[in-house]
């Protein structure tokens, strides 16, 4: 067990992601294993563990961003025009596998996040969840929708906003730009709320890219 | 615009789901379109709208359960042993596409949910998000982890609990049983918290079904 006293680290604070790749192709095993191998050098500073449904990676936000962008970009290149879906779940402030009794937050860096463009265009559905606890002794009113609305405004300013559907915001652009926006918003909310998660579903090379 | 005064309805309260199917097969279009057609009779009481990344369905929980179970079961049968992933996002208490300024909740039925078994075994990663607002005038302390821990206990009692990974609970069993458990927990939390979402990622016929 790592100590959770003193200043948090990405590991003690539970900063990480789960990612899964879904190539809609008979070559899916080759595409997934190839992309994981391609992205291996970008994983050097992350904890990683592949599960049955998805792969966990834990570590600092800039390392997570570089890894996720490299991995999804590599899978898209290997899919070579075939349809690919990818799912990303981001979480912070709830370390461990069951409970999150850590009470050292909120804690978040405000350094800017950036990574190289992948050259891969995607459409993505995005949701952001600030998981507030209500403590009347704080005397502070908090509305979980305020940071969500601010994040949607960030998307519009970044030119990635493609529309709002039920329960999700639709983004469109380079995979790296979408990940940078979403991870910046997720970490930004983390400065005010300890436990924050975000889900992102990418669709790449879809035969139905037109607006519905 | 529908009225949001008086007793809520599933539509005015924003009860619904987004679902996507990802057959890892060159036949993916045929599998997806075939499953959507197979499940069409189960969609008769739901609003539905297919988007670029996923399909929205809105309506009462029992109708949603029957539709999602029929759809994913049908896709698995059509995949005929090939690997299939499916994603479900459930939401309640935040109608509309951008803001959720409805303040008529919390509101949830406590009638039991059930649907026929599909005969399709799956592993799934599950997360449940009670989206509390902190209002000190309520004078009520609330911990968003309490309903999550109760839901994990429900999974254990139902015999569907397969383990806890970072950020998700892993479930294993018939697709219908997993959906019934997850939708019961999601609606149950909805009795105490207005805005509740839940994400579920299914893996069916995976070549890596063993525990990691």
């Amino acid at each position: 067990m790592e100590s959770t006293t003193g200043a948090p680290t990405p590991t003690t604070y539970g900063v990480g992601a789960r990612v899964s790749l879904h190539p809609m192709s008979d070559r899916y095993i080759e595409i997934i294993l190839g992309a994981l191998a391609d992205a291996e050098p970008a994983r050097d500073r992350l904890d990683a563990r592949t599960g049955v449904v998805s792969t966990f990676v834990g570590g600092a936000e800039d390392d997570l961003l570089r890894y996720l962008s490299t991995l999804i970009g590599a899978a898209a290149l290997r899919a070579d025009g075939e349809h690919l879906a990818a799912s990303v779940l981001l979480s912070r402030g709830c370390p461990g596998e069951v409970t999150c009794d850590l009470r050292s937050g909120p804690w978040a860096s405000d350094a800017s996040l950036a990574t190289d463009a992948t050259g891969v265009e995607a459409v993505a559905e995005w949701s952001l969840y600030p998981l507030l606890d209500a403590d009347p002794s704080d005397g502070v009113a908090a509305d979980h929708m305020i940071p969500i609305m601010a994040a949607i405004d960030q998307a519009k300013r970044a030119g990635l906003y493609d529309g709002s559907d039920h329960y999700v915001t639709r983004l469109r652009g380079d995979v790296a730009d979408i990940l940078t926006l979403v991870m910046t918003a997720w970490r930004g909310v983390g400065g005010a709320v300890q436990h924050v998660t975000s889900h992102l579903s990418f669709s790449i090379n879809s035969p139905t890219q037109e607006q519905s």
Side-chain angles (χ1 to χ4, degrees), chain A:
Chain A
M1 292 294 290
E2 290 174 77
S3 167
T4 54
T5 58
T9 67
T11 302
T12 63
Y13 200 70
V15 178
R18 302 196 70 88
V19 58
S20 55
L21 301 171
H22 300 132
M24 257 70 86
S25 164
D26 287 351
R27 298 187 298 114
Y28 74 95
I29 294 177
E30 164 199 331
I31 293 168
I32 293 171
L33 295 180
L36 286 167
D38 294 344
E40 182 78 31
R43 219 190 64 188
D44 56 348
R45 285 196 293 268
L46 298 171
D47 300 326
R49 184 174 172 190
T50 296
V52 176
V53 179
S54 65
T55 293
F56 162 76
V57 280
E61 292 87 349
D62 51 352
D63 295 325
L64 290 168
L65 170 59
R66 188 168 60 106
Y67 179 71
L68 294 170
S69 185
T70 303
L71 178 68
I72 297 170
L77 290 182
R78 286 183 175 268
D80 193 27
E82 292 191 276
H83 186 23
L84 169 73
S87 292
V88 175
L89 157 58
L90 304 169
S91 183
R92 55 183 301 115
C94 189
E97 299 191 343
V98 180
T99 59
C100 52
D101 50 5
L102 172 65
R103 284 292 174 266
S104 61
W107 172 77
S109 161
D110 58 3
S112 68
L113 288 171
T115 195
D116 296 336
T118 60
V120 174
E121 290 290 308
V123 184
E125 288 182 348
W126 173 33
S127 49
L128 174 64
Y129 301 125
L131 290 153
L132 290 170
D133 293 313
D135 182 350
S137 68
D138 289 349
V140 177
D143 179 339
H144 73 277
M145 290 304 293
I146 291 172
I148 294 173
M149 300 310 298
I152 294 171
D153 282 343
Q154 280 181 291
K156 289 178 178 170
R157 285 196 301 275
L160 299 171
Y161 178 84
D162 192 52
S164 289
D165 293 325
H166 287 292
Y167 322 139
V168 292
T169 299
R170 201 170 59 248
L171 305 173
R172 190 181 290 260
D174 189 283
V175 165
D177 293 336
I178 291 174
L179 281 166
T180 302
L181 168 77
V182 165
M183 296 185 72
T184 299
W186 162 70
R187 194 184 58 176
V189 177
V193 178
Q194 177 179 309
H195 187 189
V196 187
T197 68
S198 191
H199 286 251
L200 192 55
S201 294
F202 286 102
S203 175
I204 295 166
N205 296 330
S206 168
T208 54
Q209 288 293 339
E210 71 279 9
Q211 302 246 358
S212 61

